[in-house]
Amino acid sequence: MDGMLNSKRRLRCAVYTRKSSEEGLDMEFNSLDAQRESCEAYVASQRSEGWATIRERYDDGGFSGGTLDRPGLKRLLADIEDGLVDVVVVYKIDRLSRSLMDFSKLVEVFDRNEVTFVSVTQSFNTTTSMGRLTLNILLSFAQFEREVIGERIRDKVAASRKRGIWMGGYVPFGYDVQDRKLVVNAAEAAAVRRIFERFVELGSATTLARELRAQGFRNKQGTLVDKGYLYRLLNNRVYRGEAVHKGKAYPGEHEAIIDAELWNHVHAILQESPRKRANNSRMQMPALLKGLIFSETGAAMTPTATRKGAKLYRYYVSMDVIRNREDSESDVPSRLPAGMVEDAVVTEVRRIVQTPEVVTKVLDALRQGGPQVREAEAIAALNDFDALWNQLFPAEQARIIQLLVRRVIVTADGLAVDVRAEGIGGVIREMLAPARMEAAE
């Protein structure tokens, strides 16, 4: 008898187990253990056919059968491709997969590697056409069951949402979860209200995002906020005390953070075109050269703006013109386009800060007091002044120019820019702060 057993080819049997939820997995004898025990008993009953269970365990606890993205299954397939498995044993077909399409992919892998598939509770042979028909019928019912369960869950979620019940998932900034309900987090709620109020003041999510990033404001996940995050926050009806399902809002169980007046004010601004809001925002920003630019005669040039249609035009105009004391014989321009003048001043500042004598003064200043800045970092900042400059929003740019420039004189031949070389070190240190914040993110 022993001779007959030894003459049969030894078949290496891999037992695969799966459970959709993690509930009960911490028990001493759980569902996966029960499945494995039944499969090993079946393999033992086939000992006369040369079957033997391999020691490797292929268990997936807490994984759905609607996907093949399971660690235990991936290891099993890898071992099959390596020729380490002859028979795959499961308690029921749906333990391996509930999807007919996915199962067909698995069967292809089994056939390619000459591996037999066995279900302990459902007797069939995948090597025959009748066995494959039986398998397809069983899988069709398994997939039907999965889809019905999905529909039931979706219906339950929809009904709960309509009753204002929070159904889990992402917890909005401003709230915490207690007993499966949203409760207001006082500190975060105050920050949310301030963001809404500040957006009303600025009218620009881009400017507000830069401001918040400069302040080091972070979301619930601990990352610096951006414009996209602000738009999602400003449009989140949870802050109005509502529960939303498929675009429809219902009164929620949780407390509102934003009142109707503030919400409506914010959304009235959001309904304007981004270009219009950007123009409004630019009008509210201080002019770059305010208080710094003068004509050759000594008259101050004040910023003014005019709008034609949707386009905004900004100028610097001599006070001589405003007060009707313009000298008609003077060749000195009395009105200049603001953008052109500001670009010229920034270009001149960039040229000056890159001269060798100024670079030396800056490095000396950076070595004395304040947060330490590496010499290579400072030189790179001076050489790439434009990149750092573009990271600043208009209010910051205006403040930096006020620190760097003593005076801008408009002459008949052009502009004369008097730069404060002694203040460049401190300005470079400040301008590097946003770049470091970006790198830390």
Side-chain angles (χ1 to χ4, degrees), residues 90-343:
V90 295
Y91 182 71
K92 288 180 64 176
I93 305 174
D94 63 2
R95 297 304 87 191
L96 197 58
S97 177
R98 283 181 174 269
S99 168
L100 187 59
M101 183 176 296
D102 286 345
F103 199 89
S104 65
K105 297 177 183 177
L106 295 177
V107 170
E108 287 180 8
V109 176
F110 296 161
D111 289 347
R112 186 171 65 250
N113 292 278
E114 298 182 351
V115 170
T116 304
F117 169 67
V118 174
S119 170
V120 171
T121 58
Q122 297 155 320
S123 179
F124 57 87
N125 186 343
T126 58
T127 61
T128 67
S129 57
M130 183 58 69
R132 291 180 181 276
L133 174 62
T134 304
L135 175 62
N136 287 335
I137 292 173
L138 292 172
L139 281 173
S140 296
F141 277 103
Q143 182 168 331
F144 170 74
E145 181 183 8
R146 181 168 62 90
E147 293 173 355
V148 168
I149 292 172
E151 290 176 358
R152 289 173 182 168
I153 292 173
R154 288 191 291 272
D155 290 344
K156 182 179 178 180
V157 170
S160 299
R161 284 288 192 183
K162 291 177 181 178
R163 293 173 58 189
I165 299 173
W166 185 70
M167 294 302 294
Y170 167 74
V171 181
F173 185 84
Y175 292 95
D176 293 324
V177 177
Q178 293 181 8
D179 300 325
R180 293 187 175 184
K181 293 184 179 181
L182 292 178
V183 294
V184 174
N185 179 313
E188 292 182 358
V192 170
R193 280 190 288 269
R194 180 56 186 153
I195 288 172
F196 272 75
E197 292 166 355
R198 188 65 176 146
F199 178 77
V200 171
E201 295 170 3
L202 297 175
S204 168
T206 301
T207 302
L208 179 54
R210 288 174 177 163
E211 182 177 291
L212 292 173
R213 289 171 72 88
Q215 296 170 2
F217 180 82
R218 296 176 181 271
N219 60 23
K220 220 172 180 68
Q221 288 69 44
T223 58
L224 293 171
V225 302
D226 56 17
K227 181 173 67 173
Y229 173 85
L230 285 183
Y231 277 126
R232 291 191 296 274
L233 185 146
L234 294 171
N235 284 288
N236 193 344
R237 300 195 67 88
V238 168
Y239 297 123
R240 286 289 299 120
E242 298 175 346
V244 179
H245 181 67
K246 292 187 176 181
K248 293 185 178 180
Y250 305 93
E253 290 185 332
H254 61 280
E255 180 183 347
I257 291 178
I258 303 300
D259 60 38
E261 182 179 358
L262 180 55
W263 177 271
N264 292 336
H265 199 164
V266 166
H267 281 261
I269 296 173
L270 288 173
Q271 287 175 2
E272 295 180 354
S273 70
R275 178 173 295 182
K276 183 177 180 181
R277 284 192 278 116
N279 287 337
N280 292 338
S281 179
R282 280 194 289 271
M283 287 193 69
Q284 295 170 6
M285 292 299 168
L288 205 61
L289 303 176
K290 184 177 181 180
L292 298 176
I293 185 168
F294 298 84
S295 70
E296 196 174 32
T297 63
M301 300 191 74
T302 187
T304 63
T306 184
R307 186 185 297 278
K308 291 184 179 179
K311 195 166 185 179
L312 181 71
Y313 297 89
R314 295 189 304 117
Y315 301 94
Y316 286 101
V317 180
S318 171
M319 290 300 297
D320 286 338
V321 174
I322 294 175
R323 294 177 180 175
N324 296 317
R325 58 189 186 197
E326 184 178 6
D327 184 358
S328 60
E329 297 182 359
S330 175
D331 293 332
V332 179
S334 57
R335 178 192 296 266
L336 292 171
M340 180 191 73
V341 176
E342 291 169 355
D343 289 345

Side-chain angles (χ1 to χ4, degrees), residues 7 191 347:
S7 66
T347 299

Side-chain angles (χ1 to χ4, degrees), residues 352 404-409 416-420:
I352 292 173
L404 283 179
V405 178
R406 283 195 184 92
R407 196 176 182 92
V408 177
I409 305 297
V417 182
D418 184 9
V419 174
R420 304 175 193 267

